[in-house]
Amino acid sequence: MSQELFKKMAQSILDGDDEVSAELAQKALNEGIDPLAAITDGFMPGVNEVGDNFACGDAFLPELVMAGEAMKAAIAVLEPAMMASGVSRQVLGTVVLATVEGDIHEIGKTLVGTMLTSSGFKVYDLGVDVPTADLIAKAEEVGADIIGLSALLTTTMIKQKEVIDEVAKRGLKVMVMVGGAPVTKEWVQRIEADGYSEDAIGAVSVAKELMGL
Ligand code: B1M
């Protein structure tokens, strides 16, 4: 039953149809499907397929843009339910979150922010294409425990290292957690990040670990 729905969800992303993706997201909620499962098992396979098609020249930038819009429309419907499912109301820690400078991919970063918020973290989401200096300034202003950095491009991952180097240079007591599709464990070790997760659910566990919880 939900497999059928998941297939339609993936197809709505491939079609870049934000009306259908939003309708299917609502249908999932009506049927009591876990919103995160709808994203990971339904919509994500579609977005990954568009990405693969783009990489091998079978899809072009407009398809990528439309897939992104369809994904965002679905998440907008699912997000309130993800927020409401959070159990903890105690503030577990403060996170300054962003997609690094030069990178405008926002969907994964926003999902991580939603999961952290619904799990009890106070999240300052600075958006996309955020310069290192702005991240550091915000982290200092709000006394952040963690800076969370998303990067989706091999060309922008280096900005994660730039932030870590700046934190070290200034002797700041803030941990840095990184993620994003091109980020690997090897990269994380190389840049000496404090935490890494390959998905949004894992990001919550890693953030809790960093807080000693
Ligand atoms: Co772009 N894009 N894109 N794109 N895009 C990729 C990333 C790409 C892999 C596609 C491909 O070629 N296969 C490729 C990168 C290649 C590379 O560097 N190796 C690529 C490219 C090349 C580009 C452009 C350069 C294209 C161009 O202009 N010629 C351009 C770059 C613009 C820029 O940033 N300067 C570009 C633009 C775009 C759009 C704007 C059109 C659109 C984004 C729309 C938006 O965000 N509003 C877009 C999209 C949609 C994609 C793909 C198809 C999907 C990304 C996505 O939203 N995934 C992507 C291919 C792919 O990833 N398969 C691709 C869904 C999202 C939920 O997953 O973001 O991975 P993700 O987040 C996951 C995890 O990674 C993790 O948790 C999330 C949830 O599970 N995670 C974290 C993410 N951040 C985390 C942080 C954490 C922890 C975990 O801690 C802090």
Side-chain angles (χ1 to χ4, degrees):
M1 176 80 169
S2 44
Q3 288 311 319
E4 260 318 290
L5 186 57
F6 289 163
K7 270 192 197 158
K8 286 184 185 164
M9 287 169 166
Q11 191 58 48
S12 71
I13 302 296
L14 285 163
D15 295 339
D17 193 329
D18 56 355
E19 275 180 28
V20 172
S21 66
E23 275 168 22
L24 294 170
Q26 189 55 54
K27 192 167 177 357
L29 292 182
N30 296 345
E31 291 181 9
I33 293 170
D34 174 18
L36 196 62
I39 292 172
T40 49
D41 301 333
F43 295 109
M44 282 283 277
V47 95
N48 286 335
E49 195 172 330
V50 174
D52 292 346
N53 292 345
F54 179 77
C56 65
D58 287 343
F60 300 95
L61 199 52
E63 278 106 318
L64 212 56
V65 174
M66 287 170 72
E69 289 305 312
M71 186 78 185
K72 272 170 52 184
I75 290 178
V77 173
L78 297 168
E79 192 175 34
M82 284 193 275
M83 288 292 203
S85 68
V87 280
S88 171
R89 295 274 66 96
Q90 176 201 356
V91 176
L92 303 181
T94 301
V95 180
V96 168
L97 180 69
T99 300
V100 296
E101 187 172 16
D103 198 324
I104 61 167
H105 293 88
E106 65 175 337
I107 298 168
K109 177 270 302 163
T110 305
L111 205 51
V112 169
T114 302
M115 294 310 294
L116 286 172
T117 305
S118 71
S119 306
F121 284 86
K122 171 79 188 150
V123 177
Y124 293 88
D125 186 339
L126 305 192
V128 298
D129 188 17
V130 181
T132 296
D134 293 5
L135 272 156
I136 299 284
K138 191 68 183 180
E140 284 191 296
E141 179 199 325
V142 301
D145 301 297
I146 299 172
I147 295 177
L149 300 172
S150 185
L152 266 285
L153 299 170
T154 45
T155 48
T156 57
M157 282 161 67
I158 192 71
K159 291 286 173 183
Q160 294 180 330
K161 177 168 163 43
E162 187 178 281
V163 174
I164 290 169
D165 288 349
E166 194 59 26
V167 165
K169 196 170 120 195
R170 289 165 176 254
L172 300 179
K173 297 247 165 302
V174 59
M175 296 167 282
V176 181
M177 174 166 85
V178 297
V183 176
T184 60
K185 286 194 180 129
E186 291 68 37
W187 172 249
V188 174
Q189 277 172 3
R190 209 166 111 204
I191 65 174
E192 297 180 12
D194 299 292
Y196 156 68
S197 162
E198 63 179 25
D199 57 32
I201 273 283
V204 173
S205 314
V206 172
K208 283 184 180 167
E209 267 170 40
L210 292 178
M211 296 305 298
L213 300 168

